[in-house]
Amino acid sequence: MKVSLNWLHELVAFDAAPGALAERLTFAGLEVEAVAESGTDLREIVAAEVLAISPHPRADRLRLCDVADGRQTVRVVCGAANFAVGDKVPLARPGAVLAGGVRIKPAVLRGEKSDGMLCAADELGVSDDHQGLMLLPPETPPGTPLAEIVGPADHVLTIEVTPNRPDCMSMIGIAREVAALYGSRLQRPAAPLPEPLPAPDAAFQVAVEDAADCPRYMAWRLADVAVRPSPWRLQRRLFQAGIRPINNVVDITNYVMLESGQPLHAFDQSLLHGGQIRVRRARAGETLVTLDDVPRKLTPDMLVIADAERPVALAGIMGGAGSGIQDATRAVVLESACFQSGLIRRASRALGLTSEATARFERGVDALQTDWAARRAVSLMIQLAGARLAAAPADVFLLEPKSRKIECRFDRLRQRLGLDISDDAMTAIFEALELQVPARGRKSCTVSVPPFRPDLEGEADLLEEVARLHGLDKLPAPPASAQSSATRESHARAMAVMRLRAGLTGMGLTEIMNYSFTGSRLLDLCDGSCPEKRVPIPNPVSADHGWLRNSLLPQMVETLGQNRARQVQDAAFFEIGRVFFVPDAAAAAGHAVDRPPAGPAAAAALPAAEMDVLAVGLMGAAGRPPLDQRRPVADEEAWLWLKGILENLCRMMKFDLPGAGRGPFHAAALRLAPAEEAPSGFDWPNRAAFAPGRGFAVLLDGRPIGRAGLIRPGLRQEWRIHEPLAAAELAVAPLLARLEAVCAPRTPPVYPAVQRDLAMRVPLALTHARILEVIEKLAPPELTDVKLFDIFQGKQIGAGYKSLAYALTYRSGSKTLTDEDVNAMHNLILEGLRRELQAEIRIG
């Protein structure tokens, strides 16, 4: 909302500099975004009469003009051609400063002296018109200061009006706020009409099909209208508000809209068929060419103004080209109405069409203001367009706004605000805002809320009114205090997540963060099989942000792809974030839900459960030393890097892995199972993101906590990545479960260790995890470590077989082990491997 201070001074008396007023309004809740000077100070710019025009002897496009400025006759060189002898035009005398900051001096143009400059409207800051000189009214006496014609120098405030304050979308609304802030009184403009009003005309009918769509519709008919340019003062105010002047009739409707907040529209009565106006929904297949000459396809959920045959305007948005005001218009139908705000908003969004009227209707228009705004516009048309009121207005008022009353407890407001403010001061603030106080007691009062303040619904809103009018900057600062609502469990969890982040960063990974919402296309690329498990976002800002993410993996792959597109070859990322999913599906998948909805009512209000998830992504030679970067990355290598990160993560989280450092924790073993061997009911998202045979279920104590593996080639190709991408996604809560566990104290080893090597020939299908499982079952307490150090395949081993070599370490905490002791333990393990796995021991 742009506010002219000169206009504002006409509505309310106050004494404040533009900057001070802007600060006061901002602290009152109306944020002023900018304060700009408008136009020039207009000193030394006067009206001048053109006495003679002659061609410039040395320039075809210039003319020599003799003009009378009220004091003398001067010669001016001018390049415009839209004026003639006898016209009145603005003359900038030497010393005048134009709107662009140019100071006028006597000059010689192509050998001819010019004592001043004849000005166009844009050079004076009156409008953006530069097609010729600004032509002043013919009756203007020469020498009249231009400030008397267009108004003095001005300042314009740009105010950000929140959607819940439709009353501040008008000069009167802003003036009401200023009056309350400075203890002044709002002076509404006069709207005199000839009395008595003409009789109604039964031949002209107005019908409203649905009262909910249009609670009130008024139609005023005017005759003998003379369409011509508006006075320059009115044009300047429209220009300051960002509206292009058109003609006096249209300009008056826009002027009154800016003044009152009530949009108006004028029809050429001769272009309305059947002598009637119908407010109805559009019919299927109807079209309308709007005033911007664009054909619009209408739908039945759009409200239109129609005559007896066709739509003539989009209600609350824009008029139709076939019924607009023309230069030849002599009879006008003036519309002043109140439409349902939601209906106008949806139609505007559907058509991609908005206007100043739409900005007000979609916030809400006061139906009681409709009559005054129409009377004000009719009064101006009689004054500026020579119009005559042809008949009494047609007023269809179907739904009157309901009155609202709010009880205000004085002590309650004082307590909540921390202010020592009197009861009289509170009621004075309400009355200054034109909130009536019909009843007042010793401890409270009743406040009657007018329809133009739909934002006031309860006592808390009245508290806000008192606070902002008293001055938010004057509220006492509360004493410094701090309260923590965090429980011991939540604090421990936060610290555990911090340690998790620190550990992943210590492994060389970089943390990334993505938005919690994404698009269906990205989700479908990773897994489009179960869209019903996703949570949609109502009214998304764009199609790319229409869903809450149910997994971090799609955005992890996208982030790796975007880095590759920016020539980043190697990357190791992790993200810890929240995902959202349908609770029933999550329960079937065995998810660890942090905050499921509490009861049916909560589930209906927020049909989504939440969970914290960790995602890891590797691209390129991220796991190699700097001197070994050029060799292509193999699938096995990328997978082993990811597997190593998971193993280190489990060590850090105090989960013991078989063969990865034996310790006192054996209850919770992490296992990687091929996706096809996952437990029944395992339905972690994005199974389709992994390559066939390259995806694994991550199990903890036999319970699935996530997926890991290599991304399928088709998904990689979306970002033109040709080498392997390794990724994992794990639930955070199970990982943190044992972080605070304390290891049982053990005596440091003082006796030497003995190492035995073991090599065996086994089928290719036999996994390392199965071998470790057998060794774990047979191992004595003295077996402290098992490491795989060699894998060999070749002709010597035979087709379908491989050779695995292990190093087993034995150590006793009570004595030095002899060869006989170690041999007995080692042979027991060898026999078990032969018996349970049919392994052929090659070295033992």
Side-chain angles (χ1 to χ4, degrees):
M1 177 70 186
K2 294 185 180 296
V3 176
S4 160
L5 291 194
N6 288 345
W7 196 352
L8 191 63
H9 277 290
E10 295 178 7
L11 299 173
V12 59
F14 66 96
D15 183 15
L21 175 62
E23 183 177 0
R24 190 78 181 271
L25 286 172
T26 298
F27 274 105
L30 296 173
E31 182 180 357
V32 179
E33 296 182 332
V35 181
E37 294 185 9
S38 175
T40 179
D41 59 11
L42 302 180
R43 287 180 295 182
E44 297 300 326
I45 301 177
V46 297
E49 181 178 1
V50 181
L51 302 178
I53 302 174
S54 60
H56 194 292
R58 285 174 291 277
D60 295 338
R61 297 186 179 182
L62 298 179
R63 297 195 293 176
L64 304 179
C65 305
D66 295 330
V67 297
D69 66 357
R71 296 188 310 201
Q72 59 182 340
T73 299
V74 297
R75 171 160 288 189
V76 179
V77 178
C78 181
N82 67 319
F83 63 100
V85 173
D87 285 342
K88 308 296 176 57
V89 295
L91 170 66
R93 292 167 171 162
V97 180
L98 302 185
V102 176
R103 182 176 295 275
I104 301 301
K105 302 177 183 178
V108 177
L109 301 176
R110 296 288 184 94
E112 296 292 334
K113 186 178 179 182
S114 180
D115 290 322
M117 175 179 170
L118 303 183
C119 302
D122 66 330
E123 293 166 334
L124 301 174
V126 175
S127 76
D128 57 357
D129 184 13
H130 193 71
Q131 295 182 357
L133 295 187
M134 178 179 173
L135 300 180
L136 303 178
E139 66 274 11
T140 306
T144 304
L146 195 65
E148 296 181 9
I149 302 172
V150 301
D154 200 357
H155 286 81
V156 175
L157 307 184
T158 301
I159 300 178
E160 177 65 27
V161 179
T162 56
N164 66 331
R165 290 299 304 273
D167 59 304
C168 291
M169 291 293 290
S170 66
M171 291 297 303
I172 289 177
I174 298 296
R176 183 188 297 114
E177 295 287 312
V178 173
L181 286 171
Y182 288 91
S184 186
R185 183 178 295 276
L186 172 64
Q187 301 291 336
R188 281 183 173 79
L193 291 181
E195 297 290 347
L197 292 179
D201 184 0
F204 188 84
Q205 299 293 324
V206 174
V208 177
E209 290 189 356
D210 191 334
D213 291 348
C214 178
R216 187 176 191 182
Y217 191 96
M218 298 188 73
W220 294 68
R221 293 173 55 213
L222 298 104
D224 303 331
V225 177
V227 178
R228 53 179 176 249
S230 299
W232 281 110
R233 185 182 295 263
L234 190 151
Q235 289 193 45
R236 184 185 183 192
R237 288 186 173 174
L238 293 181
F239 173 69
Q240 289 173 326
I243 297 177
R244 180 173 60 88
I246 298 175
N247 56 55
N248 53 354
V249 174
V250 176
D251 292 350
I252 287 170
T253 62
N254 287 328
Y255 183 85
V256 175
M257 175 188 67
L258 294 173
E259 187 176 63
S260 65
Q262 169 66 54
L264 305 170
H265 185 68
F267 298 98
D268 186 330
Q269 183 177 340
S270 65
L271 301 178
L272 298 178
H273 301 163
Q276 62 176 275
I277 283 180
R278 301 187 65 84
V279 184
R280 60 172 174 82
R281 296 291 185 98
R283 300 188 177 99
E286 282 188 321
T287 61
L288 173 67
V289 179
T290 47
L291 287 171
D292 54 0
D293 291 326
V294 177
R296 310 282 179 179
K297 293 182 179 180
L298 308 180
T299 60
D301 55 354
M302 297 176 183
L303 192 66
V304 298
I305 311 300
D307 59 15
E309 299 177 4
R310 78 225 192 272
V312 294
L314 273 167
I317 301 176
M318 188 174 288
S323 61
I325 302 300
Q326 313 292 329
D327 291 343
T329 298
R330 293 295 175 264
V332 170
V333 176
L334 179 68
E335 167 193 287
S336 181
C338 177
F339 303 116
Q340 185 198 119
S341 58
L343 195 63
I344 304 303
R345 186 185 306 112
R346 288 190 294 272
S348 173
R349 300 299 185 272
L351 294 169
L353 181 63
T354 187
S355 63
E356 289 286 343
T358 305
R360 289 158 175 82
F361 276 123
E362 66 183 11
R363 283 173 165 86
V365 169
D366 179 12
L368 300 182
Q369 180 82 356
T370 302
D371 181 50
W372 183 89
R375 288 174 177 269
R376 170 69 169 158
V378 169
S379 175
L380 290 175
M381 288 185 187
I382 293 173
Q383 177 184 345
L384 302 179
R388 174 177 59 83
L389 194 58
D395 186 2
V396 181
F397 201 170
L398 302 177
L399 285 178
E400 293 193 20
K402 296 180 180 179
S403 61
R404 290 170 293 149
K405 290 182 170 55
I406 303 173
E407 182 185 2
C408 173
R409 296 167 291 178
F410 298 130
D411 289 341
R412 173 73 169 172
L413 263 64
R414 277 189 285 266
Q415 177 187 6
R416 296 299 299 271
L417 291 174
L419 282 176
D420 185 15
I421 183 172
S422 67
D423 301 351
D424 291 340
M426 292 188 204
T427 55
I429 288 175
F430 298 146
E431 291 171 348
L433 292 170
E434 298 187 350
L435 309 178
Q436 301 301 320
V437 184
R440 176 177 167 181
R442 189 169 57 87
K443 294 185 178 181
S444 66
C445 69
T446 299
V447 177
S448 179
V449 181
F452 65 78
R453 288 300 303 271
D455 58 310
L456 302 182
E457 298 178 349
E459 189 179 40
D461 299 313
L462 298 180
L463 179 148
E464 182 180 354
E465 296 301 292
V466 172
R468 69 184 188 84
L469 266 297
H470 180 78
L472 296 175
D473 54 330
K474 298 177 183 178
L475 294 180
S481 62
Q483 275 189 336
S484 176
S485 60
T487 63
R488 180 180 180 277
E489 291 76 11
S490 63
H491 176 72
R493 179 186 180 87
M495 295 302 295
V497 172
M498 289 178 60
R499 290 175 63 183
L500 178 60
R501 283 192 168 95
L504 290 165
T505 304
M507 295 181 207
L509 278 72
T510 301
E511 184 173 11
I512 64 172
M513 288 187 289
N514 285 293
Y515 290 117
S516 295
F517 36 83
T518 184
S520 59
R521 180 181 180 275
L522 182 59
L523 296 175
D524 289 340
L525 282 174
C526 288
D527 187 0
S529 60
C530 299
E532 69 278 1
K533 299 177 183 178
R534 303 171 189 166
V535 180
I537 296 176
N539 303 317
V541 295
S542 72
D544 292 334
H545 300 90
W547 299 85
L548 290 172
R549 60 184 180 184
N550 64 342
S551 168
L552 302 187
L553 194 61
Q555 291 171 315
M556 174 61 72
V557 176
E558 182 184 41
T559 302
L560 291 170
Q562 290 175 343
N563 275 267
R564 174 52 57 89
R566 288 158 178 79
Q567 299 180 344
V568 176
Q569 300 300 320
D570 309 319
F573 294 148
F574 78 91
E575 179 177 8
I576 300 175
R578 184 147 290 194
V579 298
F580 308 84
F581 41 82
V582 177
D584 291 340
H591 287 188
V593 178
D594 288 340
R595 295 182 298 187
L606 180 62
E610 306 175 9
M611 178 175 65
D612 288 329
V613 171
L614 162 68
V616 175
L618 304 177
M619 177 178 68
R624 286 185 187 157
L627 296 180
D628 186 19
Q629 295 287 321
R630 293 185 177 274
R631 181 166 46 88
V633 177
D635 287 359
E636 293 80 0
E637 190 176 14
W639 165 245
L640 289 175
W641 290 338
L642 179 64
K643 184 171 178 287
I645 290 174
L646 297 180
E647 291 179 351
N648 285 334
L649 181 63
C650 287
R651 291 191 188 96
M652 184 179 65
M653 297 290 107
K654 300 182 180 178
F655 289 110
D656 185 37
L657 290 172
R662 294 165 53 80
F665 302 103
H666 298 280
L670 184 139
R671 188 167 65 89
L672 300 170
E676 55 272 12
E677 298 179 14
S680 60
F682 176 53
D683 196 19
W684 192 277
N686 298 314
R687 175 177 178 178
F690 295 100
R694 297 290 191 269
F696 295 85
V698 182
L699 308 179
L700 191 63
D701 275 341
R703 178 185 175 214
I705 66 166
R707 286 192 187 276
L710 301 181
I711 301 300
R712 60 182 170 84
L715 181 55
R716 299 195 319 250
Q717 289 302 321
E718 289 287 330
W719 291 275
R720 299 182 180 179
I721 300 176
H722 305 292
E723 66 268 20
L725 287 185
E729 186 174 30
L730 310 174
V732 169
L735 290 176
L736 304 182
R738 299 182 67 88
L739 191 59
E740 289 189 325
V742 179
C743 299
R746 291 188 296 173
T747 304
V750 296
Y751 298 100
V754 179
Q755 183 171 302
R756 291 283 191 271
D757 290 343
L758 163 64
M760 69 186 85
R761 178 176 177 269
V762 296
L764 286 175
L766 186 63
T767 64
H768 168 65
R770 173 60 178 151
I771 294 172
L772 291 180
E773 183 182 336
V774 173
I775 295 176
E776 181 87 13
K777 182 173 63 174
L778 301 172
E782 289 80 5
L783 180 62
T784 59
D785 196 11
V786 179
K787 288 183 178 178
L788 174 67
F789 66 85
D790 185 57
I791 303 175
F792 178 75
Q793 291 178 246
K795 294 180 180 180
Q796 302 91 327
I797 302 302
Y801 288 88
K802 60 185 175 182
S803 175
L804 302 178
Y806 292 85
L808 282 67
T809 302
Y810 298 89
R811 187 199 299 268
S812 172
S814 59
K815 66 176 184 175
T816 299
L817 295 176
T818 64
D819 284 343
E820 290 77 8
D821 296 333
V822 175
N823 290 339
M825 301 173 191
H826 194 63
N827 290 333
L828 184 64
I829 292 174
L830 297 180
E831 289 300 324
L833 292 172
R834 292 190 187 98
R835 181 178 63 253
E836 297 197 22
L837 303 179
Q838 289 75 49
E840 178 185 334
I841 305 300
R842 301 178 62 236
I843 299 175

